[in-house]
């Protein structure tokens, strides 16, 4: 089966939002063995949408739409498809009751146009929306299958995962067990990682191996197909072991792990506390940690010490350190880490200082970052980064590298 994904919405073409839905759906279809050859994006225009549908029908068996199922006039996906397929739109009572109950719970008046969301293609299988209002649809004709999904990822992803995907699996008469496992890497680039596993990528059959890079991180998705779940996991384990033997030092987690969640797990399991003094990242490191639930058991607090005066007067960095080595130096980063650890009485103190860009700072070029880490009473350590991205990209990468180095340092200590 060949599939094409059509994202509907002028906001996508205007660059107001990113088309993350296509990436998610493609990864899910890959697990089913369905090939995706084309992604299309079309604005809120019925004529151009029909044109896109006709093109897709000439090169795909399965066409998946995201967006355009809402209550407003520019939400025209199902209306356009109903005309194209000569299918009536009918009211789905279950969806209508759900929408009405939603407005009652929110103590809001339900406008008449919201009933539009309960209209579905006649003869379709209705896909329940448990995270929003507009239901999805699955419809098969003699030649094609069509899936209509809402645009918001928080609605689309669970609908596809739990409503559409099982239907597709049955449609394929696929009795094989398909399992996927994700290895997560940091501190190694996509090109370097691909070089290390190039022969595995070139010779892959079952299991398959797919690399993906995002926000400085790299993942490898291992997918195996077998008659039993146990055999599928055995195939994955063999491949994972081979990959780990080559680049295991860059692996920080698996599947739904993130750098921050992995750090939280290590800190909480070992009853360790952490604090941070941030200059160029201005609180971004602490915000990244605090975004993970349960981090309150480890993250005590910290300081934003953006200027030299605040580093000296409030944090307690020695003025001679800054005068001799500048604020963008290993000495300053290490002293920031020590002082914040002392002030907040934590096991670990982190100091981040640097030149985010576009201009240099402290006599160092833009992109220079020093990360200091103080662990209990041991001598502090520091790490230098030489980044080349935009200002805020450098700030985010500095945060992620800080978490990466913390994980590696804790692992080296046997934690």
């Amino acid at each position: 089966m060949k599939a094409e994904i059509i994202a509907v919405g002028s906001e996508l073409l205007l660059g107001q939002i990113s088309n993350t839905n296509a990436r998610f759906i493609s990864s899910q279809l890959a697990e089913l063995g369905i090939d995706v050859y084309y992604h299309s994006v079309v604005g809120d225009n019925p004529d151009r949408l029909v044109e896109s549908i006709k093109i897709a029908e000439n090169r795909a068996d399965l066409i998946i739409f995201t967006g355009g199922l809402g209550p407003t006039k520019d939400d025209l996906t199902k209306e356009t498809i109903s005309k194209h397929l000569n299918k009536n739109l009918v009211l789905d009572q279950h969806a209508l009751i759900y929408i009405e109950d939603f407005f009652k719970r929110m103590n809001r008046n339900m406008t008449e146009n919201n009933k539009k969301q309960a209209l579905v293609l006649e003869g379709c299988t209705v896909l329940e929306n448990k995270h929003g209002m507009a239901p999805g649809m699955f419809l098969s004709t003699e030649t094609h299958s069509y899936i209509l999904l809402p645009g918001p990822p928080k609605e689309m992803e669970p609908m596809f995962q739990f409503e559409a995907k099982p239907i597709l699996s049955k449609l394929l008469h696929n009795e094989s067990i398909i399992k996927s496992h994700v290895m997560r890497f940091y501190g190694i680039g996509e090109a370097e990682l691909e070089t290390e596993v190039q022969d595995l990528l070139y010779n892959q059959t079952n299991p398959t191996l797919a690399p993906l890079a995002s926000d400085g991180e790299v993942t490898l998705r291992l997918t195996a197909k077998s008659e039993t779940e146990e055999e599928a996991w055995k195939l994955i384990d063999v491949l994972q072991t081979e990959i780990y033997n080559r680049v295991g030092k860059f692996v920080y987690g698996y599947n739904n792990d993130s750098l921050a969640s992995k750090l939280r797990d290590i800190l909480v399991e070992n009853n360790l506390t952490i604090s941070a003094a941030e200059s160029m990242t201005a609180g971004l490191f602490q915000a990244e940690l605090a975004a993970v639930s349960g981090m309150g058991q480890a993250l005590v607090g910290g300081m934003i010490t953006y200027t030299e005066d605040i580093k000296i007067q409030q944090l307690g960095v020695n003025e001679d350190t800054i005068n001799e080595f500048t604020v963008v130096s290993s000495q300053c980063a290490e002293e920031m880490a020590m002082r914040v650890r002392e002030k907040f009485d934590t096991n670990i103190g982190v100091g981040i200082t640097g030149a985010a860009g576009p201009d240099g700072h402290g006599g160092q070029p833009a992109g220079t970052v020093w990360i200091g880490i103080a662990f209990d009473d041991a001598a502090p350590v520091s790490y230098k980064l030489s980044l080349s991205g935009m200002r805020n990209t450098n700030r985010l990468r500095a945060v992620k590298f800080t978490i990466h180095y913390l994980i590696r340092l804790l692992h080296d200590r046997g934690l």
Side-chain angles (χ1 to χ4, degrees):
M1 180 177 285
K2 294 179 292 184
E4 180 159 343
I5 301 167
I6 300 178
V8 184
S10 297
E11 65 276 12
L12 293 164
L13 295 175
L14 293 171
Q16 295 171 343
I17 62 172
S18 299
N19 186 15
T20 60
N21 287 340
R23 181 178 66 182
F24 173 82
I25 295 171
S26 288
S27 68
Q28 294 294 310
L29 293 178
E31 293 182 10
L32 293 171
I34 297 174
D35 296 318
V36 179
Y37 291 154
Y38 299 96
H39 289 177
S40 300
V41 179
V42 61
D44 302 313
N45 180 285
D47 293 334
R48 288 194 285 272
L49 179 53
V50 169
E51 183 180 356
S52 295
I53 295 170
K54 289 179 178 178
I55 292 171
E57 287 173 336
N58 285 327
R59 60 191 185 188
D61 313 297
L62 170 66
I63 306 171
I64 300 176
F65 302 85
T66 62
L69 302 183
T72 61
K73 288 184 178 180
D74 60 353
D75 291 310
L76 45 76
T77 300
K78 60 190 172 187
E79 289 83 356
T80 304
I81 295 173
S82 72
K83 292 178 181 178
H84 175 68
L85 297 179
N86 197 25
K87 294 281 185 180
N88 294 325
L89 288 173
V90 296
L91 192 66
D92 182 75
Q93 289 296 330
H94 180 76
L96 179 61
I97 292 171
Y98 185 89
I99 294 168
E100 291 173 340
D101 286 345
F102 170 83
F103 280 95
K104 288 178 184 177
R105 290 195 307 272
M106 300 298 293
N107 196 28
R108 289 165 50 193
N109 292 324
M110 177 177 161
T111 57
E112 188 66 23
N113 62 349
N114 275 288
K115 291 183 179 179
K116 172 186 172 183
Q117 296 182 94
L119 293 174
V120 298
L121 295 168
E122 187 175 18
C124 76
T125 298
V126 178
L127 309 179
E128 189 175 356
N129 189 343
K130 297 179 181 179
H131 300 270
M133 285 187 279
M137 286 153 263
F138 174 87
L139 181 69
S140 278
T141 67
E142 292 181 359
T143 56
H144 296 88
S145 293
Y146 305 84
I147 296 178
L148 285 68
L149 302 168
K154 68 181 180 65
E155 299 178 31
M156 186 283 299
E157 291 183 11
M159 182 184 290
F160 186 88
Q161 183 77 29
F162 300 110
E163 300 285 327
K165 195 173 179 181
I167 294 174
L168 288 174
S169 185
K170 290 181 181 177
L171 185 68
L172 292 167
H173 303 292
N174 191 350
E175 297 180 1
S176 297
I177 300 294
I178 299 175
K179 291 294 177 182
S180 283
H181 181 66
V182 175
M183 301 179 70
R184 297 190 173 275
F185 302 80
Y186 202 80
I188 185 172
E190 183 182 18
E192 184 181 354
L193 178 61
E194 188 168 319
T195 299
E196 293 291 339
V197 297
Q198 191 171 35
D199 58 313
L200 302 177
L201 288 165
Y202 183 78
N203 296 313
Q204 62 177 301
T205 53
N206 183 31
T208 58
L209 189 60
L212 175 67
S214 175
D215 293 331
E217 299 186 32
V218 188
T219 64
L220 288 175
R221 178 185 290 273
L222 291 64
T223 303
K225 181 189 295 185
S226 185
E227 293 182 359
T228 67
E229 185 172 331
E230 181 181 7
E231 182 60 32
W233 284 121
K234 283 182 180 178
L235 292 169
I236 287 174
D237 286 343
V238 171
L239 180 57
Q240 177 175 272
T241 300
E242 177 60 31
I243 295 169
Y244 198 89
N245 288 339
R246 301 184 188 192
V247 286
K249 67 179 181 179
F250 299 106
V251 175
Y252 76 80
Y254 304 92
N255 298 317
N256 293 322
D257 286 337
S258 67
L259 282 163
S261 71
K262 195 65 179 178
L263 179 60
R264 173 206 59 196
D265 292 345
I266 299 171
L267 295 174
V268 172
E269 287 170 9
N270 293 280
N271 296 313
L272 297 174
T273 54
I274 189 170
S275 57
E278 300 183 60
S279 184
M280 67 168 283
T281 50
L284 190 59
F285 171 77
Q286 294 167 78
E288 186 80 3
L289 298 192
V292 178
S293 63
M295 188 61 80
Q297 298 178 65
L299 178 61
V300 173
M303 302 175 66
I304 298 172
T305 57
Y306 210 66
T307 66
E308 292 184 13
D309 288 344
I310 293 299
K311 288 180 178 69
I312 296 167
Q313 297 168 11
Q314 300 299 321
L315 185 57
V317 173
N318 193 310
E319 186 174 0
D320 291 338
T321 300
I322 294 177
N323 289 338
E324 182 175 355
F325 302 104
T326 80
V327 290
V328 185
S329 64
S330 61
Q331 292 83 359
C332 183
E334 290 177 7
E335 195 164 340
M336 288 170 65
M338 288 189 292
R339 298 294 169 258
V340 77
R341 190 190 73 78
E342 293 166 356
K343 278 187 174 291
F344 287 85
D345 192 25
T346 55
N347 300 107
I348 302 169
V350 172
I352 307 172
T353 183
D359 301 319
H361 183 54
Q364 298 296 319
T368 304
V369 181
W370 279 100
I371 300 163
I373 300 175
F375 194 108
D376 287 333
D377 294 326
V381 296
S382 55
Y383 306 88
K384 183 182 181 181
L385 304 177
S386 297
L387 306 176
S388 59
M390 301 288 286
R391 176 181 177 82
N392 287 327
T393 302
N394 285 342
R395 295 174 66 237
L396 179 59
R397 290 183 67 193
V399 166
K400 291 197 171 187
F401 266 108
T402 302
I403 300 173
H404 167 67
Y405 287 130
L406 278 164
I407 292 171
R408 286 179 58 176
L409 183 64
L410 292 168
H411 278 169
D412 291 344
R413 289 175 170 265
L415 301 175

